[in-house]
Amino acid sequence: MLKGFWTLTWLETKIFLREPMGVIGTLGLPVLLFVVLGRTMQSVRPEAATLAESAPFNLAILAALMIAINAVLSLIAIISIYREGGILKRLRATPLSPLTILGSQVVVKLMFTVVSLLLLVAAGRRVFPGAMQVGLPSFTAALLLSSLSILSLGFLIASVVPTARFAQPVGAAILYPMIALSGLFYPVSRFPEPLQVVASILPTTHAVSLLQGIWDGSGWGAHWGDGLALAAIFVVCCVAATRVFRWE
Amino acid sequence: MKRTSTVISVEHLGKRYRSVVAVDDVSLEVHEGEIFGLIGPNGAGKTTTMECIEGLRAPDHGTIRVLGLDPQRDAAALRQQIGVQHQEAQLQKRIKVWEALDLWARLYPRAVGVDDLLERLGLTEKRDARFMTLSGGQKQRLFVALALIHDPHVVFLDELTTGLDPQARRAIWELVLGIRARGKTVFLTTHLMEEAERLCDRVGIIEHGRLVEVGRPADLVARHCPERRVVFSSDSPFVAQQMSEVALCRSITNDGDTYTLHGEGDDFTTAVIQAIARADLHVRGFRTEAPTLEDVFLKLTGHGIRD
């Protein structure tokens, strides 16, 4: 079965924590971005009563999306470094199943996504009182589903990019523009037709729609379509990744 | 001679990558308790052959059996019984030595004690060290430890000492001999002829994917390079004359007062010594030069192993 799964997951967690810069980058930057942007916007519009009024878009959703994307970039880096260093090859020659090897990485990333989100909420409640009125379990679940869907796209990227040095810029070049197309800054309906089509198949678009819905209190019922789309993207990317994934 | 059973049998193995033939019709047998070495230059097909035997690659042609198992069909069962060390495969930079061994130990139903193994491989002091801080030799010892953690019957070692300094290399050799002493069968690859001569009971010489020759190193040398050389210095002006009576001697060359006698066969050296004694020659710096596996390789392939 999934022999060694928890041992490997725990080990990868410890290994991740042993690289302080990586931890700060993955966990801290989205929180920092949120606080700095929030402060800046408040100073631009001091008359606004709340953070939501002072900002032209939902900063918390942007920060949450950054958390997910950072996790994906980190996963792409790890997979490509492990492949280039022969670590994947060495692990695969053991009784560990491929699903265990890759699955434990995903679990580690999701764990840190939750930690990062909790940090974000804690910081938000402290710095912007009243700005973080959201059902945390529901929002966490939505972020995890979104992360999983974007992570599967990350797997696909990590599967085809040949070297570790190249993987990170390629990942960033693909993922960051997706934020611009996600509908967070401008409604997708205002995009030109072709861009709307592109946006509709990107996981980030559905992630933003779902997260925004949960944030605004409209709940899962109103956004089951986004949830389904995220799940569908996950399945498609996983199937595609198993076909093109290279272990060495 | 002790009767031994066959642990690995390979028949007509063929493997190609797109248009490149990596392994071409290789057949060989490895017996229980021996160290078998596949030797040849980089790119000759050593690693591909080994990885087909380990079940990591699917061969295009041929039949492979390891401990009676088919490496492709019975991959899971075989993995329990073989230990594998890969060439150039690393570990996570920040994993600790004991953590790697502990993970590996948990993956097998039966495992030897982590601390015993660390002791045996001289890694006890490095138990809590991160992988990235280990020296080349220590890394290789850890890889050997990982290959031995589940007490496998057959151990595969791919280019184990490449890039190590001579001292670390010797330490690894001792280790490999220790594995054999515990009754294991070892299949290794190397492009170092000295390593093959020191370690291997039998070697297979592979080039361009073809197995050129298989046998005991000494037998291969005797078969393909029977020539022997005796070198000594002497002030006597009559050396060439006096030594020409040695029946096995084919030619004599000299560089000043240093003479090189070229002959053939194991009795050549004895014959030269007797001739020196008979002639009452005063000689200095007497030494013999026997051909090595390197010479065999040169002769069989027409070029040196590093060319």
Side-chain angles (χ1 to χ4, degrees):
Chain A
M1 287 292 288
L2 294 182
K3 197 173 188 128
F5 183 83
W6 293 113
T7 311
L8 188 59
T9 303
W10 173 230
L11 204 51
E12 290 292 346
T13 306
K14 287 196 286 184
I15 290 169
F16 178 70
L17 288 173
R18 282 174 195 160
E19 194 171 11
M21 294 318 286
V23 177
I24 293 168
T26 318
L27 297 186
L29 281 185
V31 180
L32 193 69
L33 179 83
F34 174 63
V35 172
V36 170
L37 275 182
R39 279 290 192 217
T40 309
M41 288 175 179
Q42 279 181 327
S43 68
V44 172
R45 300 185 59 186
E47 72 283 4
T50 64
L51 181 66
E53 272 179 42
S54 65
F57 57 88
N58 192 324
L59 283 178
I61 304 288
L62 175 66
L65 202 58
M66 287 300 297
I67 290 172
I69 283 176
N70 278 358
V72 177
L73 288 175
S74 163
L75 179 88
I76 292 173
I78 287 176
I79 298 284
S80 52
I81 289 167
Y82 279 21
R83 174 168 51 221
E84 206 164 284
I87 299 167
L88 288 180
K89 183 181 176 181
R90 190 178 289 282
L91 288 172
R92 203 163 73 107
T94 68
L96 281 171
S97 90
L99 200 62
T100 303
I101 298 168
L102 301 179
S104 64
Q105 295 292 347
V106 170
V107 169
V108 173
K109 292 298 154 220
L110 291 181
M111 267 178 354
F112 283 105
T113 298
V114 173
V115 172
S116 198
L117 178 64
L118 293 178
L119 281 176
L120 177 71
V121 171
R125 285 193 175 148
R126 199 175 162 79
V127 182
F128 310 107
M132 287 285 173
Q133 306 299 334
V134 64
L136 203 48
S138 196
F139 192 76
T140 306
L143 183 61
L144 284 179
L145 177 61
S146 304
S147 298
L148 206 54
S149 190
I150 308 173
L151 278 169
S152 69
L153 185 64
F155 258 121
L156 200 54
I157 296 169
S159 301
V160 292
V161 179
T163 70
R165 209 175 271 272
F166 198 41
Q168 274 172 300
V170 167
I174 293 173
L175 292 169
Y176 285 133
M178 284 168 49
I179 303 178
L181 287 177
S182 68
L184 181 64
F185 308 118
Y186 302 101
V188 175
S189 57
R190 279 167 53 191
F191 291 168
E193 192 84 15
L195 271 189
Q196 284 194 30
V197 176
V198 174
S200 70
I201 57 167
L202 296 179
T204 38
T205 312
H206 298 284
V208 165
S209 175
L210 176 65
L211 290 169
Q212 218 141 29
I214 304 286
W215 189 273
D216 297 339
S218 51
W220 287 84
H223 289 279
W224 64 269
D226 290 318
L228 208 62
L230 288 170
I233 290 166
F234 174 77
V235 171
V236 169
C237 286
C238 283
V239 169
T242 55
R243 285 172 182 266
V244 293
F245 194 80
R246 292 172 300 112
W247 291 90
E248 52 185 293
Chain B
M1 206 173 137
K2 198 177 76 172
R3 288 275 304 164
T4 50
S5 59
T6 302
V7 171
I8 299 170
S9 78
V10 176
E11 282 167 24
H12 307 297
L13 172 67
K15 175 77 183 173
R16 57 165 63 223
Y17 301 115
R18 295 210 174 90
S19 63
V20 183
V21 178
V23 180
D24 186 8
D25 198 31
V26 165
S27 298
L28 56 87
E29 280 193 350
V30 179
H31 309 301
E32 188 176 359
E34 75 172 345
I35 300 179
F36 182 90
L38 208 51
I39 60 180
N42 294 326
K46 302 189 296 286
T47 300
T48 301
T49 303
M50 187 179 239
E51 290 183 349
C52 285
I53 297 173
E54 293 161 355
L56 288 178
R57 280 180 205 289
D60 297 333
H61 313 283
T63 316
I64 302 174
R65 289 289 176 276
V66 182
L67 297 161
L69 298 168
D70 178 334
Q72 286 300 310
R73 212 183 46 225
D74 313 313
L78 186 62
R79 232 155 253 192
Q80 309 287 345
Q81 305 203 45
I82 63 171
V84 174
Q85 183 277 329
H86 296 288
Q87 181 187 6
E88 282 170 12
Q90 300 289 308
L91 278 171
Q92 292 92 323
K93 274 161 71 178
R94 290 176 173 79
I95 198 170
K96 291 179 180 175
V97 167
W98 77 265
E99 288 172 338
L101 285 163
D102 179 63
L103 172 66
W104 256 250
R106 283 168 197 267
L107 300 177
Y108 298 93
R110 182 171 62 107
V112 299
V114 167
D115 289 325
D116 286 349
L117 200 55
L118 285 173
E119 174 83 49
R120 215 163 90 206
L121 301 200
L123 285 170
T124 304
E125 281 170 36
K126 291 287 163 186
R127 193 178 184 283
D128 294 315
R130 294 177 185 191
F131 178 73
M132 63 199 271
T133 66
L134 300 180
S135 71
Q138 288 163 345
K139 282 179 183 172
Q140 290 296 1
R141 274 185 276 156
L142 173 58
F143 296 150
V144 174
L146 294 177
L148 295 178
I149 190 87
H150 54 297
D151 200 24
H153 295 301
V154 191
V155 182
F156 293 89
L157 307 171
D158 194 7
E159 294 280 351
L160 193 56
T161 64
T162 301
L164 297 187
D165 58 57
Q167 203 182 349
R169 186 168 284 155
R170 265 161 227 283
I172 296 278
W173 288 349
E174 286 305 309
L175 233 156
V176 176
L177 293 172
I179 297 171
R180 181 181 61 185
R182 296 171 88 90
K184 312 293 182 196
T185 306
V186 179
F187 187 108
L188 61 83
T189 71
T190 182
H191 66 274
L192 300 171
M193 293 295 145
E194 191 194 351
E195 181 164 294
E197 268 179 330
R198 286 290 192 88
L199 293 182
C200 298
D201 297 304
R202 289 190 312 131
V203 297
I205 296 176
I206 191 166
E207 204 209 21
H208 299 313
R210 296 194 71 98
L211 199 62
V212 186
E213 181 61 288
V214 183
R216 300 179 157 275
D219 292 348
L220 293 187
V221 171
R223 193 182 315 157
H224 295 285
C225 302
E227 61 272 18
R228 298 283 185 276
R229 286 190 297 274
V230 173
V231 183
F232 60 81
S233 303
S234 174
D235 296 331
S236 163
F238 308 115
V239 173
Q241 231 172 301
Q242 287 159 329
M243 290 300 119
S244 61
E245 66 178 77
V246 179
L248 296 163
C249 185
R250 283 191 284 106
S251 65
I252 302 172
T253 56
N254 73 303
D255 176 12
D257 61 356
T258 301
Y259 296 85
T260 303
L261 282 63
H262 303 262
E264 211 165 272
D266 290 334
D267 298 329
F268 176 59
T269 308
T270 316
V272 172
I273 292 171
Q274 285 167 347
I276 289 170
R278 271 198 304 277
D280 201 17
L281 262 184
H282 185 70
V283 303
R284 302 183 307 277
F286 183 97
R287 69 174 196 275
T288 62
E289 288 178 359
T292 63
L293 218 43
E294 190 121 26
D295 299 304
V296 174
F297 188 86
L298 191 68
K299 182 141 184 185
L300 287 175
T301 65
H303 58 78
I305 191 139
R306 285 179 200 86
D307 291 354

